[in-house]
PDB file of all heavy atoms in Angstrom:
ATOM      1  N   ASN F 512      29.395 -16.448 -36.907  1.00 96.00           N
ATOM      2  CA  ASN F 512      30.223 -16.532 -35.755  1.00 96.00           C
ATOM      3  C   ASN F 512      31.732 -16.870 -36.093  1.00 96.00           C
ATOM      4  O   ASN F 512      32.449 -17.402 -35.302  1.00 96.00           O
ATOM      5  CB  ASN F 512      29.652 -17.641 -34.784  1.00 96.00           C
ATOM      6  CG  ASN F 512      30.147 -17.340 -33.391  1.00 96.00           C
ATOM      7  OD1 ASN F 512      30.654 -16.291 -32.998  1.00 96.00           O
ATOM      8  ND2 ASN F 512      29.975 -18.372 -32.494  1.00 96.00           N
ATOM      9  N   GLU F 513      32.118 -16.418 -37.279  1.00 95.00           N
ATOM     10  CA  GLU F 513      33.560 -16.594 -37.720  1.00 95.00           C
ATOM     11  C   GLU F 513      34.167 -15.309 -38.239  1.00 95.00           C
ATOM     12  O   GLU F 513      35.396 -15.195 -38.215  1.00 95.00           O
ATOM     13  CB  GLU F 513      33.621 -17.647 -38.760  1.00 95.00           C
ATOM     14  CG  GLU F 513      33.216 -19.093 -38.276  1.00 95.00           C
ATOM     15  CD  GLU F 513      33.317 -20.093 -39.435  1.00 95.00           C
ATOM     16  OE1 GLU F 513      33.620 -19.688 -40.599  1.00 95.00           O
ATOM     17  OE2 GLU F 513      33.099 -21.250 -39.206  1.00 95.00           O
ATOM     18  N   HIS F 514      33.345 -14.318 -38.544  1.00 95.00           N
ATOM     19  CA  HIS F 514      33.863 -13.071 -39.108  1.00 95.00           C
ATOM     20  C   HIS F 514      33.246 -11.936 -38.334  1.00 95.00           C
ATOM     21  O   HIS F 514      32.517 -12.177 -37.353  1.00 95.00           O
ATOM     22  CB  HIS F 514      33.419 -12.910 -40.566  1.00 95.00           C
ATOM     23  CG  HIS F 514      33.958 -13.984 -41.478  1.00 95.00           C
ATOM     24  ND1 HIS F 514      33.273 -15.179 -41.664  1.00 95.00           N
ATOM     25  CD2 HIS F 514      35.024 -14.144 -42.181  1.00 95.00           C
ATOM     26  CE1 HIS F 514      33.975 -15.985 -42.491  1.00 95.00           C
ATOM     27  NE2 HIS F 514      35.057 -15.285 -42.809  1.00 95.00           N
ATOM     28  N   GLY F 515      33.640 -10.774 -38.585  1.00 96.00           N
ATOM     29  CA  GLY F 515      33.153  -9.510 -37.896  1.00 96.00           C
ATOM     30  C   GLY F 515      34.073  -9.190 -36.656  1.00 96.00           C
ATOM     31  O   GLY F 515      35.132  -9.804 -36.496  1.00 96.00           O
ATOM     32  N   THR F 516      33.633  -8.316 -35.907  1.00 98.00           N
ATOM     33  CA  THR F 516      34.322  -7.863 -34.735  1.00 98.00           C
ATOM     34  C   THR F 516      34.452  -9.029 -33.754  1.00 98.00           C
ATOM     35  O   THR F 516      33.562  -9.852 -33.713  1.00 98.00           O
ATOM     36  CB  THR F 516      33.666  -6.669 -34.036  1.00 98.00           C
ATOM     37  OG1 THR F 516      32.313  -6.967 -33.724  1.00 98.00           O
ATOM     38  CG2 THR F 516      33.694  -5.398 -34.985  1.00 98.00           C
ATOM     39  N   THR F 517      35.470  -9.001 -32.930  1.00 98.00           N
ATOM     40  CA  THR F 517      35.743 -10.162 -32.051  1.00 98.00           C
ATOM     41  C   THR F 517      35.521  -9.745 -30.593  1.00 98.00           C
ATOM     42  O   THR F 517      36.038  -8.624 -30.129  1.00 98.00           O
ATOM     43  CB  THR F 517      37.188 -10.557 -32.160  1.00 98.00           C
ATOM     44  OG1 THR F 517      37.498 -10.966 -33.541  1.00 98.00           O
ATOM     45  CG2 THR F 517      37.577 -11.683 -31.269  1.00 98.00           C
ATOM     46  N   ARG F 518      34.721 -10.499 -29.907  1.00 98.00           N
ATOM     47  CA  ARG F 518      34.467 -10.206 -28.444  1.00 98.00           C
ATOM     48  C   ARG F 518      35.687 -10.572 -27.670  1.00 98.00           C
ATOM     49  O   ARG F 518      36.240 -11.661 -27.796  1.00 98.00           O
ATOM     50  CB  ARG F 518      33.295 -11.039 -28.026  1.00 98.00           C
ATOM     51  CG  ARG F 518      32.912 -10.871 -26.549  1.00 98.00           C
ATOM     52  CD  ARG F 518      31.549 -11.400 -26.258  1.00 98.00           C
ATOM     53  NE  ARG F 518      31.438 -12.911 -26.595  1.00 98.00           N
ATOM     54  CZ  ARG F 518      31.578 -13.876 -25.720  1.00 98.00           C
ATOM     55  NH1 ARG F 518      31.905 -13.551 -24.494  1.00 98.00           N
ATOM     56  NH2 ARG F 518      31.502 -15.095 -26.054  1.00 98.00           N
ATOM     57  N   LYS F 519      36.160  -9.634 -26.788  1.00 97.00           N
ATOM     58  CA  LYS F 519      37.363  -9.821 -26.097  1.00 97.00           C
ATOM     59  C   LYS F 519      37.111 -10.278 -24.684  1.00 97.00           C
ATOM     60  O   LYS F 519      38.008 -10.652 -23.901  1.00 97.00           O
ATOM     61  CB  LYS F 519      38.110  -8.491 -25.953  1.00 97.00           C
ATOM     62  CG  LYS F 519      38.817  -8.071 -27.320  1.00 97.00           C
ATOM     63  CD  LYS F 519      39.765  -9.101 -27.794  1.00 97.00           C
ATOM     64  CE  LYS F 519      40.436  -8.587 -29.095  1.00 97.00           C
ATOM     65  NZ  LYS F 519      41.395  -7.500 -28.815  1.00 97.00           N
ATOM     66  N   THR F 520      35.872 -10.206 -24.190  1.00 97.00           N
ATOM     67  CA  THR F 520      35.446 -10.572 -22.812  1.00 97.00           C
ATOM     68  C   THR F 520      35.047 -12.100 -22.795  1.00 97.00           C
ATOM     69  O   THR F 520      34.740 -12.696 -23.818  1.00 97.00           O
ATOM     70  CB  THR F 520      34.317  -9.662 -22.290  1.00 97.00           C
ATOM     71  OG1 THR F 520      33.223  -9.749 -23.322  1.00 97.00           O
ATOM     72  CG2 THR F 520      34.727  -8.267 -22.211  1.00 97.00           C
ATOM     73  N   SER F 521      35.001 -12.605 -21.578  1.00 97.00           N
ATOM     74  CA  SER F 521      34.771 -14.036 -21.395  1.00 97.00           C
ATOM     75  C   SER F 521      33.260 -14.261 -21.403  1.00 97.00           C
ATOM     76  O   SER F 521      32.451 -13.329 -21.325  1.00 97.00           O
ATOM     77  CB  SER F 521      35.310 -14.492 -20.047  1.00 97.00           C
ATOM     78  OG  SER F 521      34.636 -13.912 -18.971  1.00 97.00           O
ATOM     79  N   ASP F 522      32.942 -15.472 -21.445  1.00 98.00           N
ATOM     80  CA  ASP F 522      31.468 -15.888 -21.362  1.00 98.00           C
ATOM     81  C   ASP F 522      30.904 -15.554 -19.904  1.00 98.00           C
ATOM     82  O   ASP F 522      29.729 -15.131 -19.798  1.00 98.00           O
ATOM     83  CB  ASP F 522      31.279 -17.429 -21.595  1.00 98.00           C
ATOM     84  CG  ASP F 522      31.516 -17.750 -23.055  1.00 98.00           C
ATOM     85  OD1 ASP F 522      31.403 -16.928 -23.847  1.00 98.00           O
ATOM     86  OD2 ASP F 522      31.811 -18.943 -23.333  1.00 98.00           O
ATOM     87  N   VAL F 523      31.695 -15.686 -18.930  1.00 98.00           N
ATOM     88  CA  VAL F 523      31.326 -15.319 -17.557  1.00 98.00           C
ATOM     89  C   VAL F 523      30.997 -13.794 -17.498  1.00 98.00           C
ATOM     90  O   VAL F 523      30.048 -13.338 -16.885  1.00 98.00           O
ATOM     91  CB  VAL F 523      32.315 -15.682 -16.512  1.00 98.00           C
ATOM     92  CG1 VAL F 523      31.936 -15.216 -15.133  1.00 98.00           C
ATOM     93  CG2 VAL F 523      32.540 -17.192 -16.512  1.00 98.00           C
ATOM     94  N   PHE F 524      31.759 -12.990 -18.235  1.00 98.00           N
ATOM     95  CA  PHE F 524      31.547 -11.597 -18.387  1.00 98.00           C
ATOM     96  C   PHE F 524      30.081 -11.286 -18.884  1.00 98.00           C
ATOM     97  O   PHE F 524      29.477 -10.457 -18.434  1.00 98.00           O
ATOM     98  CB  PHE F 524      32.628 -10.951 -19.271  1.00 98.00           C
ATOM     99  CG  PHE F 524      32.585  -9.476 -19.301  1.00 98.00           C
ATOM    100  CD1 PHE F 524      33.450  -8.726 -18.452  1.00 98.00           C
ATOM    101  CD2 PHE F 524      31.748  -8.771 -20.091  1.00 98.00           C
ATOM    102  CE1 PHE F 524      33.490  -7.315 -18.448  1.00 98.00           C
ATOM    103  CE2 PHE F 524      31.741  -7.388 -20.145  1.00 98.00           C
ATOM    104  CZ  PHE F 524      32.629  -6.662 -19.320  1.00 98.00           C
ATOM    105  N   ALA F 525      29.743 -12.063 -19.945  1.00 98.00           N
ATOM    106  CA  ALA F 525      28.418 -11.903 -20.504  1.00 98.00           C
ATOM    107  C   ALA F 525      27.305 -12.137 -19.463  1.00 98.00           C
ATOM    108  O   ALA F 525      26.308 -11.453 -19.452  1.00 98.00           O
ATOM    109  CB  ALA F 525      28.259 -12.841 -21.722  1.00 98.00           C
ATOM    110  N   LEU F 526      27.523 -13.203 -18.655  1.00 98.00           N
ATOM    111  CA  LEU F 526      26.600 -13.497 -17.553  1.00 98.00           C
ATOM    112  C   LEU F 526      26.480 -12.396 -16.524  1.00 98.00           C
ATOM    113  O   LEU F 526      25.389 -12.029 -16.129  1.00 98.00           O
ATOM    114  CB  LEU F 526      26.929 -14.840 -16.888  1.00 98.00           C
ATOM    115  CG  LEU F 526      27.295 -16.048 -17.702  1.00 98.00           C
ATOM    116  CD1 LEU F 526      27.308 -17.272 -16.776  1.00 98.00           C
ATOM    117  CD2 LEU F 526      26.199 -16.217 -18.828  1.00 98.00           C
ATOM    118  N   ALA F 527      27.711 -11.887 -16.252  1.00 98.00           N
ATOM    119  CA  ALA F 527      27.754 -10.823 -15.216  1.00 98.00           C
ATOM    120  C   ALA F 527      27.042  -9.512 -15.642  1.00 98.00           C
ATOM    121  O   ALA F 527      26.283  -8.954 -14.830  1.00 98.00           O
ATOM    122  CB  ALA F 527      29.210 -10.476 -14.873  1.00 98.00           C
ATOM    123  N   THR F 528      27.174  -9.108 -16.888  1.00 98.00           N
ATOM    124  CA  THR F 528      26.460  -7.948 -17.343  1.00 98.00           C
ATOM    125  C   THR F 528      24.930  -8.139 -17.450  1.00 98.00           C
ATOM    126  O   THR F 528      24.218  -7.164 -17.306  1.00 98.00           O
ATOM    127  CB  THR F 528      27.030  -7.466 -18.751  1.00 98.00           C
ATOM    128  OG1 THR F 528      26.910  -8.526 -19.688  1.00 98.00           O
ATOM    129  CG2 THR F 528      28.487  -7.044 -18.587  1.00 98.00           C
ATOM    130  N   ALA F 529      24.507  -9.393 -17.555  1.00 98.00           N
ATOM    131  CA  ALA F 529      23.053  -9.615 -17.558  1.00 98.00           C
ATOM    132  C   ALA F 529      22.490  -9.238 -16.211  1.00 98.00           C
ATOM    133  O   ALA F 529      21.251  -8.942 -16.046  1.00 98.00           O
ATOM    134  CB  ALA F 529      22.760 -11.080 -17.871  1.00 98.00           C
ATOM    135  N   VAL F 530      23.328  -9.329 -15.211  1.00 98.00           N
ATOM    136  CA  VAL F 530      22.963  -8.953 -13.809  1.00 98.00           C
ATOM    137  C   VAL F 530      23.213  -7.431 -13.533  1.00 98.00           C
ATOM    138  O   VAL F 530      22.403  -6.693 -12.953  1.00 98.00           O
ATOM    139  CB  VAL F 530      23.650  -9.801 -12.738  1.00 98.00           C
ATOM    140  CG1 VAL F 530      23.313  -9.370 -11.288  1.00 98.00           C
ATOM    141  CG2 VAL F 530      23.354 -11.279 -13.038  1.00 98.00           C
ATOM    142  N   LEU F 531      24.363  -6.989 -14.005  1.00 98.00           N
ATOM    143  CA  LEU F 531      24.876  -5.599 -13.656  1.00 98.00           C
ATOM    144  C   LEU F 531      23.946  -4.536 -14.388  1.00 98.00           C
ATOM    145  O   LEU F 531      23.719  -3.502 -13.917  1.00 98.00           O
ATOM    146  CB  LEU F 531      26.333  -5.405 -14.021  1.00 98.00           C
ATOM    147  CG  LEU F 531      27.353  -6.187 -13.231  1.00 98.00           C
ATOM    148  CD1 LEU F 531      28.762  -5.981 -13.788  1.00 98.00           C
ATOM    149  CD2 LEU F 531      27.270  -5.682 -11.742  1.00 98.00           C
ATOM    150  N   PHE F 532      23.588  -4.863 -15.655  1.00 98.00           N
ATOM    151  CA  PHE F 532      22.815  -3.851 -16.387  1.00 98.00           C
ATOM    152  C   PHE F 532      21.335  -4.101 -16.163  1.00 98.00           C
ATOM    153  O   PHE F 532      20.800  -5.183 -16.550  1.00 98.00           O
ATOM    154  CB  PHE F 532      23.089  -4.009 -17.877  1.00 98.00           C
ATOM    155  CG  PHE F 532      24.547  -3.739 -18.318  1.00 98.00           C
ATOM    156  CD1 PHE F 532      25.039  -4.031 -19.515  1.00 98.00           C
ATOM    157  CD2 PHE F 532      25.374  -3.133 -17.377  1.00 98.00           C
ATOM    158  CE1 PHE F 532      26.315  -3.678 -19.939  1.00 98.00           C
ATOM    159  CE2 PHE F 532      26.747  -2.866 -17.717  1.00 98.00           C
ATOM    160  CZ  PHE F 532      27.171  -3.135 -18.999  1.00 98.00           C
ATOM    161  N   GLN F 533      20.596  -3.072 -15.618  1.00 98.00           N
ATOM    162  CA  GLN F 533      19.270  -3.311 -15.145  1.00 98.00           C
ATOM    163  C   GLN F 533      18.199  -2.789 -16.192  1.00 98.00           C
ATOM    164  O   GLN F 533      18.315  -1.622 -16.665  1.00 98.00           O
ATOM    165  CB  GLN F 533      19.092  -2.593 -13.818  1.00 98.00           C
ATOM    166  CG  GLN F 533      17.687  -2.728 -13.206  1.00 98.00           C
ATOM    167  CD  GLN F 533      16.770  -1.643 -13.646  1.00 98.00           C
ATOM    168  OE1 GLN F 533      17.151  -0.427 -13.724  1.00 98.00           O
ATOM    169  NE2 GLN F 533      15.479  -1.955 -13.963  1.00 98.00           N
ATOM    170  N   SER F 534      17.315  -3.612 -16.513  1.00 98.00           N
ATOM    171  CA  SER F 534      16.156  -3.287 -17.292  1.00 98.00           C
ATOM    172  C   SER F 534      15.139  -4.449 -17.114  1.00 98.00           C
ATOM    173  O   SER F 534      15.543  -5.598 -17.156  1.00 98.00           O
ATOM    174  CB  SER F 534      16.483  -3.156 -18.819  1.00 98.00           C
ATOM    175  OG  SER F 534      15.292  -2.881 -19.531  1.00 98.00           O
ATOM    176  N   SER F 535      13.817  -4.086 -16.975  1.00 98.00           N
ATOM    177  CA  SER F 535      12.825  -5.025 -16.674  1.00 98.00           C
ATOM    178  C   SER F 535      12.573  -5.954 -17.930  1.00 98.00           C
ATOM    179  O   SER F 535      12.051  -7.071 -17.773  1.00 98.00           O
ATOM    180  CB  SER F 535      11.572  -4.427 -16.279  1.00 98.00           C
ATOM    181  OG  SER F 535      11.076  -3.584 -17.197  1.00 98.00           O
ATOM    182  N   VAL F 536      12.890  -5.509 -19.066  1.00 98.00           N
ATOM    183  CA  VAL F 536      12.819  -6.308 -20.353  1.00 98.00           C
ATOM    184  C   VAL F 536      14.235  -6.233 -20.926  1.00 98.00           C
ATOM    185  O   VAL F 536      14.778  -5.170 -21.198  1.00 98.00           O
ATOM    186  CB  VAL F 536      11.791  -5.648 -21.281  1.00 98.00           C
ATOM    187  CG1 VAL F 536      11.888  -6.401 -22.613  1.00 98.00           C
ATOM    188  CG2 VAL F 536      10.374  -5.737 -20.784  1.00 98.00           C
ATOM    189  N   GLN F 537      14.786  -7.426 -21.149  1.00 98.00           N
ATOM    190  CA  GLN F 537      16.139  -7.561 -21.667  1.00 98.00           C
ATOM    191  C   GLN F 537      16.071  -8.332 -23.017  1.00 98.00           C
ATOM    192  O   GLN F 537      15.734  -9.459 -23.010  1.00 98.00           O
ATOM    193  CB  GLN F 537      17.068  -8.271 -20.687  1.00 98.00           C
ATOM    194  CG  GLN F 537      17.312  -7.521 -19.395  1.00 98.00           C
ATOM    195  CD  GLN F 537      18.590  -6.730 -19.419  1.00 98.00           C
ATOM    196  OE1 GLN F 537      19.082  -6.300 -20.498  1.00 98.00           O
ATOM    197  NE2 GLN F 537      19.146  -6.505 -18.306  1.00 98.00           N
ATOM    198  N   HIS F 538      16.461  -7.627 -24.109  1.00 98.00           N
ATOM    199  CA  HIS F 538      16.681  -8.380 -25.338  1.00 98.00           C
ATOM    200  C   HIS F 538      18.251  -8.565 -25.501  1.00 98.00           C
ATOM    201  O   HIS F 538      18.965  -7.687 -25.906  1.00 98.00           O
ATOM    202  CB  HIS F 538      16.108  -7.564 -26.584  1.00 98.00           C
ATOM    203  CG  HIS F 538      14.599  -7.534 -26.569  1.00 98.00           C
ATOM    204  ND1 HIS F 538      13.871  -6.469 -26.234  1.00 98.00           N
ATOM    205  CD2 HIS F 538      13.691  -8.567 -26.770  1.00 98.00           C
ATOM    206  CE1 HIS F 538      12.543  -6.759 -26.285  1.00 98.00           C
ATOM    207  NE2 HIS F 538      12.409  -8.000 -26.627  1.00 98.00           N
ATOM    208  N   PHE F 539      18.610  -9.833 -25.222  1.00 98.00           N
ATOM    209  CA  PHE F 539      19.991 -10.128 -25.214  1.00 98.00           C
ATOM    210  C   PHE F 539      20.495 -10.320 -26.550  1.00 98.00           C
ATOM    211  O   PHE F 539      19.849 -10.735 -27.550  1.00 98.00           O
ATOM    212  CB  PHE F 539      20.260 -11.336 -24.322  1.00 98.00           C
ATOM    213  CG  PHE F 539      19.977 -11.174 -22.920  1.00 98.00           C
ATOM    214  CD1 PHE F 539      19.057 -11.916 -22.195  1.00 98.00           C
ATOM    215  CD2 PHE F 539      20.636 -10.195 -22.166  1.00 98.00           C
ATOM    216  CE1 PHE F 539      18.800 -11.725 -20.851  1.00 98.00           C
ATOM    217  CE2 PHE F 539      20.463  -9.987 -20.778  1.00 98.00           C
ATOM    218  CZ  PHE F 539      19.404 -10.792 -20.108  1.00 98.00           C
ATOM    219  N   ALA F 540      21.914 -10.185 -26.734  1.00 98.00           N
ATOM    220  CA  ALA F 540      22.565 -10.384 -27.991  1.00 98.00           C
ATOM    221  C   ALA F 540      22.878 -11.862 -28.261  1.00 98.00           C
ATOM    222  O   ALA F 540      24.019 -12.200 -28.737  1.00 98.00           O
ATOM    223  CB  ALA F 540      23.835  -9.520 -28.039  1.00 98.00           C
ATOM    224  N   LEU F 541      21.991 -12.717 -27.872  1.00 98.00           N
ATOM    225  CA  LEU F 541      22.149 -14.208 -28.082  1.00 98.00           C
ATOM    226  C   LEU F 541      21.674 -14.551 -29.486  1.00 98.00           C
ATOM    227  O   LEU F 541      20.941 -13.781 -30.081  1.00 98.00           O
ATOM    228  CB  LEU F 541      21.503 -15.022 -26.980  1.00 98.00           C
ATOM    229  CG  LEU F 541      21.785 -14.632 -25.564  1.00 98.00           C
ATOM    230  CD1 LEU F 541      20.984 -15.484 -24.591  1.00 98.00           C
ATOM    231  CD2 LEU F 541      23.332 -14.941 -25.278  1.00 98.00           C
ATOM    232  N   ALA F 542      22.133 -15.651 -29.983  1.00 98.00           N
ATOM    233  CA  ALA F 542      21.804 -16.149 -31.244  1.00 98.00           C
ATOM    234  C   ALA F 542      21.397 -17.600 -31.282  1.00 98.00           C
ATOM    235  O   ALA F 542      21.900 -18.363 -30.402  1.00 98.00           O
ATOM    236  CB  ALA F 542      22.925 -15.884 -32.350  1.00 98.00           C
TER     237      ALA F 542
END
Side-chain angles (χ1 to χ4, degrees):
N512 204 11
E513 294 180 358
H514 302 86
T516 55
T517 302
R518 179 165 60 95
K519 292 298 186 68
T520 54
S521 69
D522 291 336
V523 177
F524 188 98
L526 311 190
T528 56
V530 176
L531 293 175
F532 296 171
Q533 181 270 319
S534 176
S535 58
V536 173
Q537 293 266 28
H538 288 109
F539 292 121
L541 304 177

